[in-house]
Amino acid sequence: MDGRRVDRAAAKRFGRNLFMVRRRAGFSQEEVAALCSLHRTEVGLLEHGRRLPRVDTLLKLTAALAIDPRDLFKGIEWVPGSGRGGAFVVKP
């Protein structure tokens, strides 16, 4: 990890969404990485739920895949709360 706190359930769901969208579009990880000016391992880390993307990476992915950013966040919600400020809720 790169020092950022990552919610594992949210990252895994994001990764699954990215994988499904990429496969539906008919791209390999290498092709998406090239279109986004990313390394293929970055795409792999995202798909395996080891990372959540930065905003610039998210914009590159949605442009390359010609999708709405919401497609990558299906099933992931942020619920505000007291104490730690809230939590991710991941739906099946």
Side-chain angles (χ1 to χ4, degrees), residues 13-77:
R13 181 57 189 256
F14 180 91
R16 187 171 17 148
N17 291 343
L18 175 58
F19 172 80
M20 292 187 322
V21 167
R22 177 182 62 76
R23 292 296 299 265
R24 191 170 36 237
F27 290 116
S28 67
Q29 286 183 350
E30 291 83 5
E31 290 169 322
V32 170
L35 289 168
C36 296
S37 298
L38 299 171
H39 196 280
R40 192 223 34 95
T41 56
E42 177 71 11
V43 176
L45 289 169
L46 292 167
E47 285 190 3
H48 288 98
R50 308 257 333 260
R51 286 198 182 153
L52 284 170
R54 298 181 329 197
V55 172
D56 61 325
T57 301
L58 178 64
L59 292 171
K60 290 175 183 181
L61 289 168
T62 58
L65 296 166
I67 59 169
D68 187 297
R70 290 176 288 196
D71 294 341
L72 296 174
F73 291 104
K74 285 185 179 165
I76 304 170
E77 293 181 23

